[in-house]
Amino acid sequence: MQATQARGSDAHSADAKLFQPTRIGCIDIANRVVMAPLTRCRADEPAGDVPGSDINVEYYRQRSGAGLIISEGTQISPVGKGYMATPGIYSEAQVEGWRRITDTVHAAGSKMLAQIWHVGRITHPALTGGAQPIAPSAIAPRDVVAYTHQGKVDIPTPQAMSVQQIADVVAQFRQAAANALRAGFDGVEIHGANGYLIDQFLRDGANRRDDAYGGSVAARCRLALEIVDAVAAEIGAARVGIRLSPLTPFNDLADSDPQRTFDHLVEQLDARGIAFVHFIEGSTGGARDLPGFDYAKARKSFRGAYIANNGYDRAMAIEAVESGRADAVAFGRAFLANPDLVQRLRVGAPLNAPDAQTFYTPGAAGYTDYPTLDAQPAVA
Ligand code: PHB
């Protein structure tokens, strides 16, 4: 009954721009609903953080109604890993595993980006093969724990990176982008959000350096821009985007002046002509209405695509794209729980609720077994 009513009242909005094709950078997408990157901890860990098992392929295949799929965060090196069973993109086995997934997604008519990721200080030697976590400065995050095979552990104080270690990370991002194209991805999203390595350099809560990579806004943005430049030189700026979260407190990170920091960054990203910026508006998975950053201003000062994220429902997403406030809208938990999310949004159908108990657990439960509309009994 609920579904029927929603369908009736929203009949016209199935034609909304949200459901129309567009182009992001050089990538043509069938609609403007994006699957956000989602950590699911189901890579083949003992065998080297390799994706591409049958359930991994099936999970992404089910969600290929999205115009664009952004992969779960994918570490660029062993020390860039922060959670159990997250996939990498630095070994040949990982590239081959991803290829199984991208081939399937393409055959189903969608496009896919690799989200390339280094967690910086948000990890523990039990997850990095024994290596000490690295970060801009030797400051441990407060009240953040790591989940290891031995259980929950406190995160140690990271090692402050040398200039050589910074150059190594830039080179690893570049190699990850090259690997992503070899694995059949259409491009990459650089993970610059949520308190991980790049964000640790951007925001002064974790960056107390007094060299070329810390201090002034320009210096704090240097690592992000060196990575963008290296990745764009490798695969072309039209296949590169970046995810940012100027206000999120997630992973114990904050900035003393997010407007100033991210104004500079967005201006520099615009000058580089990259395909998109993907903003988590507000607190990751939480409140949208935090003060301190003007997303509309960022949208206006960036000529590439603006992908909006965080707590969007159908009406908000339709409005955001219709009004021009965003070019596309990324859905995380809604996509996790609704493989046929685009179809449901089109007709105004109700959504399955996500089950947080199975977000990070192994196996098919809570991964590939969420029902589609077709599979649900008809509502009387
Ligand atoms: C998580 O695993 O909780 C996670 C990973 C990457 C993010 C955010 C959350 O960007």
Side-chain angles (χ1 to χ4, degrees):
M1 188 55 187
Q2 211 187 342
T4 312
Q5 273 175 353
R7 251 177 230 142
S9 62
D10 286 319
H12 65 283
S13 48
D15 302 325
K17 253 173 123 176
L18 181 66
F19 306 112
Q20 306 303 319
T22 191
R23 173 174 276 205
I24 292 185
C26 65
I27 306 167
D28 289 311
I29 60 175
N31 62 65
R32 302 158 197 226
V33 179
V34 175
M35 179 176 166
L38 293 162
T39 292
R40 303 308 312 274
C41 301
R42 285 165 170 91
D44 192 358
E45 190 170 56
D49 305 335
V50 175
S53 69
D54 289 350
I55 59 166
N56 298 156
V57 172
E58 174 62 6
Y59 167 74
Y60 282 112
R61 187 199 63 75
Q62 289 175 348
R63 287 160 180 76
S64 50
L68 181 67
I69 295 175
I70 305 175
S71 81
E72 62 208 274
T74 298
Q75 58 266 9
I76 59 164
S77 70
V79 73
K81 174 181 175 177
Y83 304 90
M84 290 186 284
T86 55
I89 189 148
Y90 52 85
S91 75
E92 285 310 302
Q94 291 160 352
V95 169
E96 281 168 33
W98 279 119
R99 169 62 83 171
R100 295 192 68 206
I101 294 170
T102 61
D103 280 350
T104 301
V105 165
H106 287 149
S110 189
K111 299 291 166 70
M112 188 165 185
L113 306 179
Q115 194 201 46
I116 51 177
W117 187 27
H118 193 302
V119 298
R121 66 180 183 167
I122 306 297
T123 190
H124 184 279
L127 295 163
T128 61
Q132 192 185 352
I134 57 174
S137 303
I139 306 167
R142 287 161 304 171
D143 303 323
V144 185
V145 293
Y147 295 87
T148 73
H149 291 288
Q150 288 75 47
K152 257 202 269 189
V153 291
D154 287 336
I155 285 189
T157 301
Q159 181 193 3
M161 290 165 76
S162 67
V163 170
Q164 183 58 51
Q165 283 174 310
I166 292 174
D168 292 345
V169 162
V170 173
Q172 288 160 359
F173 268 101
R174 181 174 181 147
Q175 184 62 52
N179 291 350
L181 285 216
R182 285 199 298 121
F185 287 103
D186 299 287
V188 302
E189 174 175 277
I190 296 166
H191 194 345
N194 287 341
Y196 298 108
L197 183 69
I198 293 172
D199 204 15
Q200 289 158 29
F201 274 83
L202 290 173
R203 294 197 273 168
D204 55 16
N207 185 344
R208 303 286 158 73
R209 299 178 75 95
D210 57 8
D211 65 357
Y213 293 92
S216 68
V217 166
R220 283 186 276 122
C221 291
R222 190 178 312 278
L223 173 66
L225 294 169
E226 285 185 356
I227 290 170
V228 167
D229 286 339
V231 167
E234 186 68 35
I235 64 171
R239 297 188 183 279
V240 179
I242 189 166
R243 195 172 204 217
L244 302 171
S245 55
L247 298 179
T248 197
F250 189 63
N251 283 326
D252 186 34
L253 195 54
D255 191 60
S256 56
D257 191 347
Q259 190 70 57
R260 205 162 71 90
T261 302
F262 287 85
D263 272 353
H264 174 77
L265 181 62
V266 170
E267 183 187 302
Q268 291 297 311
L269 293 171
D270 177 68
R272 285 157 171 81
I274 61 169
F276 69 90
V277 290
H278 177 182
F279 273 99
I280 300 170
E281 299 165 343
S283 176
T284 310
R288 292 182 44 80
D289 58 349
L290 306 185
F293 189 74
D294 182 348
Y295 301 97
K297 181 180 177 202
R299 197 267 189 284
K300 282 198 198 86
S301 55
F302 181 75
R303 283 167 289 182
Y306 181 101
I307 303 178
N309 171 244
N310 202 26
Y312 278 78
D313 65 16
R314 178 175 190 269
M316 288 163 69
I318 288 176
E319 186 281 329
V321 173
E322 215 65 42
S323 69
R325 200 163 64 65
D327 296 290
V329 178
F331 293 84
R333 283 167 300 184
F335 236 126
L336 185 157
N338 294 274
D340 55 348
L341 180 65
V342 176
Q343 179 59 12
R344 289 176 189 249
L345 294 177
R346 225 180 236 127
V347 301
L351 302 185
N352 300 322
D355 171 17
Q357 297 305 313
T358 51
F359 281 178
Y360 308 116
T361 48
Y367 189 52
T368 50
D369 62 354
Y370 282 102
T372 60
L373 274 180
D374 296 344
Q376 276 166 344
V379 183

